[in-house]
Amino acid sequence: MAYRYRGRGISLIGLIYIIIGILVAWDKGYLNADLLRKVASALLAIFLWFLVLLGVDLHIHA
C-alpha cells in the first residue's frame, strides 16, 4: 500500500499569508531598510561565526 508523505514545508497559503504580513508591516513602519540590514548582519554573524572570530566585519552598510 502506498502512502503519501506530506513534508513539513510551508504551504502556498502560508507563504502568501507571510508575504502579506511583511508588506503590511513595511507599510505601517514596523520594518525598514535599516532593520533589515541589522537582521541580515546578525544572521551572517550567526552562520559565519568563525569569520567573526577571525576579525571579519560582517556588518552590511548601505
Side-chain angles (χ1 to χ4, degrees):
M1 193 178 293
Y3 292 99
R4 285 189 173 186
Y5 174 75
R6 180 177 166 126
R8 293 187 175 203
I10 190 165
S11 68
L12 180 61
I13 293 175
L15 182 63
I16 291 170
Y17 183 86
I18 290 171
I19 290 172
I20 291 172
I22 290 170
L23 293 174
V24 169
W26 186 280
D27 185 52
K28 298 297 181 181
Y30 291 101
L31 295 175
N32 56 36
D34 187 48
L35 175 64
L36 296 179
R37 278 193 294 273
K38 288 180 181 180
V39 169
S41 294
L43 289 174
L44 281 174
I46 290 168
F47 289 110
L48 301 174
W49 58 266
F50 53 89
L51 293 177
V52 175
L53 292 177
L54 294 174
V56 176
D57 181 19
L58 296 177
H59 288 97
I60 298 174
H61 301 287

